[in-house]
């Protein structure tokens, strides 16, 4: 963040090196261009970064409007302040697992107990259900096991610290690692239902999904696809898609004029379900009035 604002959410920031000039091996934040702009660092796993100057994990320099919550900040190295360093800066740093500790609401100083090098959490991890206890930070709920989190989150629906917690988390196969040239578009090879954005939302949100061919040799084959929205009782609220789709990437909006029933819904948790052949997947979204 160089004189800018924005959101860094649900990322693994791992094994970066730097800091010869300004420190901040993992994240470096400098100043504010406009006083009313904020910077949010939320539900990230910031680990094993290093800096030759103080401030290995996150370094704040002369900045305000910073929110750091529900992260795991661990194993970073620097001559001093290896996890966090604030220099002439202000930040709300709450509900994080910070190695060495950071005295503020909800923060802990406990080994995150990673299951493997992908930073999934073991079942006994102290980071499970330890993030900020608020509906807007809740993990996605398992639709077949109400009250419990949907993988890769664990425990109840209370926020898990780190990359696999919160309403916007996704499993590793959904993480974008490259971007194709726009003139070299590729056919999807898997069904993917993405987390809606924004989430929470008001008054509308967008839902993206991909449709692969029935077989890779039938690149133009169509398949019947439905995308429906349900309330927490399982009542159908809206049908967003109900037609045959050719292979490709699609995005629909929920809450616009075409799905006007959403405009009369109350605040709360809703589910959207993608079905195509034998594939089904359900994700949670939150409407906040």
């Amino acid at each position: 963040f160089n004189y800018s604002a924005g959101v860094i959410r649900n990322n693994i920031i791992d094994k970066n090196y730097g800091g010869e000039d300004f420190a901040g091996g993992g994240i470096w934040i400098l100043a504010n261009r406009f006083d009313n702009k904020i910077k949010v660092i939320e539900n990230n796993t910031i680990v094993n970064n290093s800096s030759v100057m103080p401030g290995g994990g996150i370094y704040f320099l002369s900045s305000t409007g910073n929110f750091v919550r529900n992260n795991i900040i661990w194993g970073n190295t620097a001559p001093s302040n290896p996890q966090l360093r604030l220099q002439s800066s202000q930040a709300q740093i709450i509900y994080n697992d910070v190695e060495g500790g950071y005295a503020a609401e909800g923060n802990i100083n406990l080994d995150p107990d990673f299951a493997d090098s992908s930073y999934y959490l073991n079942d006994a991890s102290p980071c499970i259900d330890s993030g900020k206890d608020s509906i807007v930070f809740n993990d996605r709920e398992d639709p077949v096991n109400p009250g419990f989190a949907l993988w890769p989150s664990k425990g109840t629906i209370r926020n898990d610290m780190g990359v696999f917690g919160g309403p916007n988390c996704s499993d590793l196969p959904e993480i974008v690692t490259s971007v194709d040239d726009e003139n070299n578009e590729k056919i999807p090879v898997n069904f993917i239902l993405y987390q809606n954005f924004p989430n929470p939302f008001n008054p509308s949100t967008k839902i993206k999904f991909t449709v692969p061919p029935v077989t890779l040799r039938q690149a133009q084959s169509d398949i019947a696809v439905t995308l429906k929205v349900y309330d927490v009782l399982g009542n159908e609220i809206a049908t967003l898609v109900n037609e045959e789709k050719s292979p490709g990437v699609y995005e629909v909006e929920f809450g616009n004029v075409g799905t006007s029933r959403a405009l009369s819904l109350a605040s709360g948790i809703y589910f959207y379900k993608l079905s195509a052949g034998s594939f089904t997947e359900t994700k949670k979204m939150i409407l906040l009035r």
Side-chain angles (χ1 to χ4, degrees), residues 201 203-204 228-240 253-267 270 285 287 289:
F201 69 95
S204 66
K228 298 185 177 183
V229 179
Y230 300 87
D231 64 18
V232 292
L233 299 178
N235 299 311
E236 184 178 323
I237 298 299
T239 297
L240 305 182
E253 188 170 3
F254 177 59
N256 62 0
V257 175
T259 55
S260 58
R261 186 174 177 186
L263 301 177
S264 63
L265 295 177
S267 295
Y270 296 88
M285 58 185 173
L287 172 61
R289 293 297 189 192

Side-chain angles (χ1 to χ4, degrees), residues 6-179:
V7 178
I8 299 176
R9 179 183 288 135
N10 291 103
N11 296 282
I12 296 173
I13 301 174
D14 175 27
K15 299 185 179 69
N16 296 288
Y17 173 82
E20 289 87 348
D21 296 320
F22 297 108
I27 299 175
W28 178 74
I29 297 173
L30 172 64
N32 295 57
R33 185 169 180 82
F34 302 105
D35 291 339
N36 63 340
K37 300 300 182 181
I38 63 172
K39 309 168 188 69
V40 177
I41 301 171
E42 186 175 277
N43 272 111
N44 300 285
T45 297
I46 304 167
V47 290
N48 303 319
N49 302 286
S50 62
S51 171
V52 298
M53 294 182 66
I58 308 175
Y59 175 46
F60 300 91
L61 175 59
S62 302
S63 60
T64 59
N66 302 298
F67 293 85
V68 182
R69 53 203 179 205
N70 306 328
N71 302 282
I72 298 173
I73 308 169
W74 200 271
N76 302 289
T77 58
S80 62
N81 303 105
Q83 310 309 323
L84 288 164
R85 181 188 177 197
L86 278 74
Q87 181 177 345
S88 304
S89 296
Q90 298 176 359
Q92 182 191 73
I93 302 173
I94 59 174
Y95 291 92
N96 303 280
D97 186 12
V98 183
E99 184 176 11
Y102 188 91
E105 178 186 356
N107 290 328
I108 61 175
N109 175 22
L110 297 169
D111 188 326
D113 191 16
F114 295 122
D116 54 31
S117 59
S118 296
Y119 302 111
Y120 293 105
L121 299 176
N122 279 318
D123 291 342
S125 169
C127 297
I128 295 172
D129 296 341
S130 294
K132 187 167 177 59
D133 188 12
S134 171
I135 187 173
V136 298
F137 299 113
N138 279 353
D139 297 335
R140 297 177 297 163
E141 187 173 36
D142 186 342
V144 300
N145 195 12
F148 291 88
L150 182 68
W151 171 265
S153 303
K154 291 189 171 183
T156 70
I157 60 173
R158 176 170 173 170
N159 186 284
D160 292 348
M161 295 174 174
V163 63
F164 296 118
N168 297 286
C169 89
S170 60
D171 203 359
L172 287 176
E174 296 183 19
I175 293 178
V176 176
T177 57
S178 64
V179 178

